[in-house]
Amino acid sequence: MNRIDYPEIDESVYRHQCDNGLDVFIIQKPGYSKKFVTYTTKYGSMDDHFRVDGEAFNVPDGITHFLEHKMFEKEEGDVFNLFSKHGASANAFTSYDRTSYLFSTTESFEKNLALLMNMVEQPYFTEETVAREVGIINEEIKMYQDNPGYKLYFETLNQMYHNLPVKSDIAGTEDSISQITSDHLFLCHRTFYHPSNMVLILVGDFDVDPLIEYIDGHQKERNVDGRPEIERILPEEPRDIVKQRSVLEMDVEETRVMLGFKHHQDSTDASERLRRDLSMMFALDMVFGEQSEYYYELMEKGLIDDSFSFSHIEEAAFSHVLFAANTEETEAFTGEIRRISDAVKDSGFFTEEKLTVQKREIIGDYLSSLNSPEYIANQYTKYYLDGYDLYRLPEIIDEITINEVEKHFIDVMDNRYMVECILKPHE
């Protein structure tokens, strides 16, 4: 076990690797009554084509999310009820690159930790329970399809991406879900839920040595041998977009537009991706944030309201920027976003003074968030799996230069790779 101290932010992390490969991080929060735990596998919705020890497999879309659902069901019943019985609140989620199981509690910690580990590590699937789950998830998919925001989001992704499974619904489709069998589930669990592909993160006030000893003992009892060699296979993705513009009609009251700027993911270095993500966050907020002159222009022209949002998504396999707003003036909105993006590129808009203000704000928000065990556990997990260290974030932020901010904005906000998706009421 290693202890890592971060004196600048008064934090300490204990890192331990079990003999079977499981990485364990204990993040001490002295005096906290709440304990928060995440147990995460590096297995997401994009991992539907892979090789294990040289053998290739294709599994149905949506199986990662399906497996997440099934892990809460055991022969003796629903594990959610057991967490509640022990005073814990449990949940789980699936993203493009990971599946995470979690709980928070102020009591019966060891019982809940054992329950979480056993639940995740011990699969229980039968053809009957799988068939029943197909019906449940199909209803969930139908519900999502009726959600305007969901519909708009995935249509925008489908306009940007030709082949990458980022454009596919994490829950799958009714057709793909119906193809899932218990054999598929056992295969994916055996492959991706191996301890060497997982991380356990615990945040709270702990007696560290006995906790490590307890986790070590539990993992040794599993008697898991070997470490599968996993190769994730992703299709080639061309630089160009699929379709520039589309219009959808649904039973909605307001017209909403989403713009997507597709960026070519050309970096395999985790630190480079983090720097670009931070740089784009600074740049977008400088240009379109609520304190910017352009934000007020858009408001005064009646092109945006409080629904206006923007985000930069930076993942290992893809990268893009999204804008969204409720507006009847969709053509004018799109034109203004493009005009503003071009106007700031050669105008000296990006300055050290603005960057300094941005850095102060994000560091303030970051330090405040470190009071939340939920934030720490979830973000530490994400940063760890992405190859970063959450507690080194202030150092990286401090290193970002205004030249990086400007360069990345120019590279990413390229109108040649912009898509527009409009969702409007039925005519």
Side-chain angles (χ1 to χ4, degrees), residues 323-382:
F323 292 86
N326 293 336
T327 179
E328 297 297 327
E329 304 293 333
T330 57
E331 184 176 345
F333 170 79
T334 301
E336 282 296 290
I337 296 297
R338 298 178 74 158
R339 180 190 68 80
I340 292 168
S341 298
D342 286 340
V344 302
K345 290 177 181 177
D346 301 309
S347 65
F349 176 86
F350 297 102
T351 65
E352 291 287 354
E353 182 181 3
K354 290 177 182 175
L355 181 58
T356 299
V357 172
Q358 293 286 320
K359 287 182 176 181
R360 286 174 182 163
E361 289 183 0
I362 192 173
I363 290 294
D365 291 343
Y366 166 84
L367 293 175
S368 177
S369 296
L370 295 185
N371 292 318
S372 165
E374 293 91 337
Y375 171 87
I376 295 170
N378 286 312
Q379 291 301 307
Y380 203 99
T381 300
K382 172 178 168 46

Side-chain angles (χ1 to χ4, degrees), residues 281-300 304-310 323 349 357-358 361:
M281 180 178 63
F282 290 140
L284 289 169
D285 207 47
M286 285 184 205
V287 180
F288 298 105
E290 292 185 7
Q291 303 304 314
S292 75
E293 60 191 84
Y294 292 113
Y295 177 86
Y296 286 105
E297 279 187 23
L298 293 170
M299 289 286 285
E300 289 173 0
I304 63 171
D305 56 20
D306 290 343
S307 69
F308 177 61
S309 65
F310 53 83
F323 292 86
F349 176 86
V357 172
Q358 293 286 320
E361 289 183 0

Side-chain angles (χ1 to χ4, degrees), residues 25 35 98 111 139 142 153 239 309 351 402 416:
F25 292 87
K35 294 176 173 62
R98 67 190 187 278
K111 288 181 180 178
E139 288 303 313
K142 291 176 184 176
Y153 174 72
R239 177 70 181 92
S309 65
T351 65
I402 196 63
R416 293 174 298 174

Side-chain angles (χ1 to χ4, degrees), residues 44 71 78 144 153 214 261 280 323 388 416:
M71 295 312 297
D78 190 342
Y144 288 147
Y153 174 72
Y214 174 75
F261 288 80
M280 282 303 299
F323 292 86
Y388 317 140
R416 293 174 298 174

Side-chain angles (χ1 to χ4, degrees), residues 142-307:
K142 291 176 184 176
M143 180 182 68
Y144 288 147
Q145 290 294 331
D146 290 334
N147 182 290
Y150 174 94
K151 193 80 171 178
L152 183 66
Y153 174 72
F154 275 102
E155 178 61 27
T156 303
L157 293 182
N158 272 274
Q159 287 178 229
M160 283 195 286
Y161 293 98
H162 294 259
N163 304 316
L164 279 180
V166 61
K167 68 188 184 121
S168 300
D169 182 356
I170 288 175
T173 65
E174 292 185 54
D175 180 60
S176 69
I177 290 301
S178 67
Q179 299 172 34
I180 294 176
T181 67
S182 59
D183 287 341
H184 287 131
L185 296 172
F186 278 117
L187 165 68
C188 292
H189 188 276
R190 184 170 61 250
T191 301
F192 293 103
Y193 283 63
H194 189 279
S196 62
N197 193 56
M198 300 190 72
V199 59
L200 179 66
I201 294 180
L202 310 95
V203 183
D205 191 351
F206 300 108
D207 192 352
V208 175
D209 289 333
L211 180 55
I212 288 292
E213 185 178 348
Y214 174 75
I215 295 170
D216 252 341
H218 176 92
Q219 294 301 319
K220 286 176 182 176
E221 288 180 3
R222 294 179 65 187
N223 196 28
V224 177
D225 296 323
R227 301 186 183 187
E229 184 179 333
I230 304 170
E231 179 188 356
R232 294 162 170 84
I233 304 171
L234 289 173
E236 291 289 328
E237 177 64 33
R239 177 70 181 92
D240 62 308
I241 59 175
V242 177
K243 183 180 180 181
Q244 188 174 51
R245 187 174 187 270
S246 67
V247 180
L248 309 175
E249 292 185 2
M250 286 186 72
D251 186 16
V252 294
E253 295 182 358
E254 295 182 286
T255 297
R256 187 165 179 80
V257 59
M258 181 170 282
L259 307 180
F261 288 80
K262 178 183 179 182
H263 186 257
H264 181 59
Q265 182 52 282
D266 54 3
S267 175
T268 58
D269 184 80
S271 62
E272 286 183 23
R273 295 198 304 273
L274 175 59
R275 294 181 76 95
R276 179 162 63 194
D277 192 33
L278 291 168
S279 296
M280 282 303 299
M281 180 178 63
F282 290 140
L284 289 169
D285 207 47
M286 285 184 205
V287 180
F288 298 105
E290 292 185 7
Q291 303 304 314
S292 75
E293 60 191 84
Y294 292 113
Y295 177 86
Y296 286 105
E297 279 187 23
L298 293 170
M299 289 286 285
E300 289 173 0
K301 291 178 180 180
L303 297 179
I304 63 171
D305 56 20
D306 290 343
S307 69

Side-chain angles (χ1 to χ4, degrees), residues 71-82 114-115 118-119 122-124 129 132:
M71 295 312 297
F72 282 92
E73 183 179 5
K74 305 301 179 187
E75 189 171 9
E76 60 272 22
D78 190 342
V79 183
F80 267 118
N81 296 330
L82 295 177
L115 185 59
N118 288 329
M119 179 190 80
Q122 298 172 9
Y124 170 72
T129 61
R132 183 169 63 244

Side-chain angles (χ1 to χ4, degrees), residues 306-322:
D306 290 343
S307 69
F308 177 61
S309 65
F310 53 83
S311 60
H312 176 250
I313 312 300
E314 183 78 28
E315 299 288 352
F318 62 92
S319 175
H320 57 248
V321 168
L322 296 176

